Amino acid sequence: MPEETSRRLAIIALHGTMDLAYPPFILATAAAALDMEVAIFFTFYGLEILKKGKVDKLKVASIANPAMPVPMPNIIGMLPGMTSMATMMMNKWMKKAHVAKLSELLATAKEMNVRLIACQMTMDVMGIKKEDLIDGLEYGGAATFLEFASHNAVTLTF
């Protein structure tokens, strides 16, 4: 009996920080390059990634982030400027490793026909209007995402 494999990847992006915005785009573009159908459902704070002019200005949280390579007590992470410092460090590491900027990964995802679905319910709850978001998006709710994911998709959440 042949082994069945999935040709779909469904990703939920629900955080609006730089460190959690990279994995959805890296996995989505890699899957698209492997000829998989891909959709990313941006919900709650994940919609920050899609706001006009925002994607390359996302920050890295310096508190409550125990995986930071430089261990930092939360009391230190709360000091003014620590979020900017953590963001600057991550940008430096990504550049040194030749990782594309988030805006470049977003553009690549669009070019590769990755479905970018903005959660309409979250937009309503948070008062986000379509004109606040970048062009080229789909708008839908949980049913839109679940319809895509229910067709044998590998599903990931970030």
Side-chain angles (χ1 to χ4, degrees):
M1 176 181 237
E3 187 175 309
E4 186 175 327
T5 59
S6 178
R7 301 301 310 157
R8 283 186 160 203
L9 176 61
I11 300 172
I12 301 169
L14 76 128
H15 296 284
T17 59
M18 182 194 334
D19 50 334
L20 291 175
Y22 268 101
F25 288 122
I26 291 169
L27 290 170
T29 54
L34 295 171
D35 293 324
M36 294 177 73
E37 291 181 71
V38 184
I40 306 175
F41 184 66
F42 296 87
T43 188
F44 289 92
Y45 301 115
L47 285 173
E48 290 296 308
I49 299 166
L50 301 177
K51 286 185 176 175
K52 289 179 180 171
K54 187 85 177 207
V55 71
D56 285 331
K57 296 178 181 172
L58 298 175
K59 307 285 184 203
V60 176
S62 59
I63 60 171
N65 194 348
M68 299 265 306
V70 180
M72 182 181 316
N74 282 339
I75 192 74
I76 302 296
M78 294 171 46
L79 295 173
M82 295 307 288
T83 297
S84 294
M85 183 183 301
T87 301
M88 183 181 67
M89 285 173 43
M90 184 162 182
N91 273 324
K92 185 177 175 182
W93 296 331
M94 298 307 261
K95 186 174 182 176
K96 185 177 179 183
H98 306 287
V99 177
K101 294 168 96 177
L102 284 168
S103 59
E104 295 166 338
L105 289 170
L106 174 60
T108 300
K110 289 168 81 174
E111 288 171 13
M112 298 177 93
N113 297 316
V114 170
R115 292 176 63 185
L116 306 173
I117 305 168
C119 178
Q120 184 65 59
M121 184 210 72
T122 301
M123 292 172 63
D124 294 343
V125 168
M126 296 183 154
I128 300 170
K129 299 184 177 10
K130 288 182 180 177
E131 55 266 22
D132 297 332
L133 303 178
I134 63 172
D135 295 331
L137 303 176
E138 293 180 44
Y139 300 92
T144 301
F145 176 75
L146 291 172
E147 195 287 319
F148 177 84
S150 68
H151 295 279
N152 196 27
V154 172
T155 305
L156 305 170
T157 302
F158 295 95

